[in-house]
Amino acid sequence: MTTIPSQLRGAIIRVDPNSVILPAGVGDSELTELRSSRETVERLSVAAADLPLLRGQLPEGLTRLNVRGPEVTEPRWPERFWLCDDLSVSLQGVAADTISHLADLGRTVIRLYLYDSPDLTTGSLEPLTRCPELYDLTLSGGVPDTVSLEPLTRCPKLLSLTLSGGVPDAVLDSLSGCPGLKFLTLGDRQRPAETALTAAGVSRLVKSCRQLWWLYLHCTADTGQAVLTALKEADLGRDRDGEPRTIRLFVPGELCRQLKSQEGRWVKVWEWKY
């Protein structure tokens, strides 16, 4: 990791031949230098206030963009989808309205990681509907029960969603019927007891999202047991071939060993190793 000086001004940090950190308050000289290396920069970190300046200016070879808030000292680079030239973005310690700039960058955003954004609102998620190729979204730190995730149900390519931290039932209910969702990760790996979901809320969501097949769950043993029981008792419907729909429930090692013997015909328990 590369530490960013708190008052960095007037100099580009080149982390390695393919990675660049732009100073806060980026000027014409930095943008000129960035344009001169358009094909070689694959990772770029930029201050949130300067993001609008990069509209149409992103290096052609860029695959990972980190947008950092004023208190960030180390960029958290987004993961890159293997053999894909589209853009993965991490928003780190920024105001939630920073999301609104993503659709205007002139690049196809396929993955988005939102870290440490306490002012998240339903309205701040609305611009994601203008990112038609977005397929993978992570919301870290918990989503308040006052925030509706309904805009995500209008993201046509959204395939995978991770909600870490507390996950109130009201948040899960707002995702009802998300059309293309196949992978759902719920809970906090470090603090499973703070995963504020209920078995009833999870069951309702699974039943309403007809394409959901993989459910990854970090929670207490009691909640995991309740979720498994609720899914076994639920009418999960049928797949596109008319066969009974099967849900794969992934839980960490010890919980997996507790639940494996209780799995049902249409609810299979797998160990979550990563």
Side-chain angles (χ1 to χ4, degrees):
M1 301 292 288
T2 299
T3 300
I4 305 169
S6 59
Q7 298 299 322
L8 176 65
R9 291 292 187 275
I12 287 180
I13 293 180
R14 190 171 282 273
V15 179
D16 57 47
N18 299 314
S19 303
V20 164
I21 296 176
L22 282 181
V26 62
D28 291 340
S29 61
E30 289 81 26
L31 289 176
T32 299
E33 184 175 343
L34 182 65
R35 284 194 295 268
S36 69
S37 55
R38 292 180 70 89
E39 295 182 359
T40 60
V41 176
E42 296 177 359
R43 297 193 307 176
L44 175 66
S45 177
V46 61
D50 297 327
L51 184 61
L53 301 177
L54 294 180
R55 184 174 183 175
Q57 302 285 334
L58 293 178
E60 294 176 3
L62 190 70
T63 57
R64 287 185 281 179
L65 174 66
N66 166 256
V67 183
R68 62 186 192 274
E71 303 302 320
V72 173
T73 58
E74 293 183 344
R76 293 183 67 175
W77 300 106
E79 297 178 18
R80 179 188 177 186
F81 188 65
W82 186 246
L83 296 180
C84 180
D85 293 331
D86 291 323
L87 193 62
S88 297
V89 180
S90 60
L91 303 182
Q92 186 182 1
V94 304
D97 60 5
T98 304
I99 297 173
S100 65
H101 297 294
L102 297 181
D104 300 323
L105 289 175
R107 290 289 301 277
T108 299
V109 177
I110 61 169
R111 304 181 85 167
L112 175 62
Y113 302 83
L114 185 60
Y115 300 118
D116 307 320
S117 183
D119 62 343
L120 188 69
T121 66
T122 302
S124 63
L125 292 173
E126 188 69 29
L128 292 179
T129 62
R130 297 192 290 120
C131 298
E133 299 300 321
L134 180 69
Y135 84 90
D136 187 2
L137 175 64
T138 293
L139 300 178
S140 179
V143 179
D145 58 10
T146 56
V147 175
S148 170
L149 299 184
E150 185 277 334
L152 303 185
T153 68
R154 291 180 278 118
C155 295
K157 295 291 184 67
L158 187 63
L159 184 76
S160 176
L161 177 63
T162 297
L163 303 174
S164 68
V167 191
D169 278 3
V171 172
L172 295 181
D173 288 341
S174 69
L175 276 171
S176 180
C178 196
L181 192 64
K182 295 184 184 296
F183 302 86
L184 178 63
T185 301
L186 300 175
D188 192 312
R189 192 182 187 98
Q190 280 70 46
R191 298 181 295 275
E194 296 180 12
T195 302
L197 53 83
T198 68
V202 174
S203 179
R204 287 195 299 271
L205 181 60
V206 171
K207 287 191 294 184
S208 72
C209 295
R210 308 303 296 175
Q211 301 302 315
L212 184 63
W213 304 101
W214 289 270
L215 175 62
Y216 294 79
L217 195 61
H218 279 299
C219 61
T220 63
D222 288 344
T223 300
Q225 175 70 70
V227 168
L228 175 59
T229 300
L231 292 177
K232 286 165 59 177
E233 295 175 351
D235 179 6
L236 298 176
R238 295 180 176 272
D239 62 23
R240 292 178 177 178
D241 297 326
E243 299 296 324
R245 180 177 167 213
T246 299
I247 296 296
R248 295 162 180 83
L249 176 62
F250 288 81
V251 292
E254 181 57 35
L255 184 54
C256 177
R257 288 185 281 275
Q258 295 177 36
L259 300 181
K260 184 66 176 177
S261 63
Q262 304 174 49
E263 67 181 13
R265 186 176 182 184
W266 311 119
V267 184
K268 302 299 182 182
V269 177
W270 294 68
E271 182 177 0
W272 187 358
K273 297 182 179 180
Y274 305 105

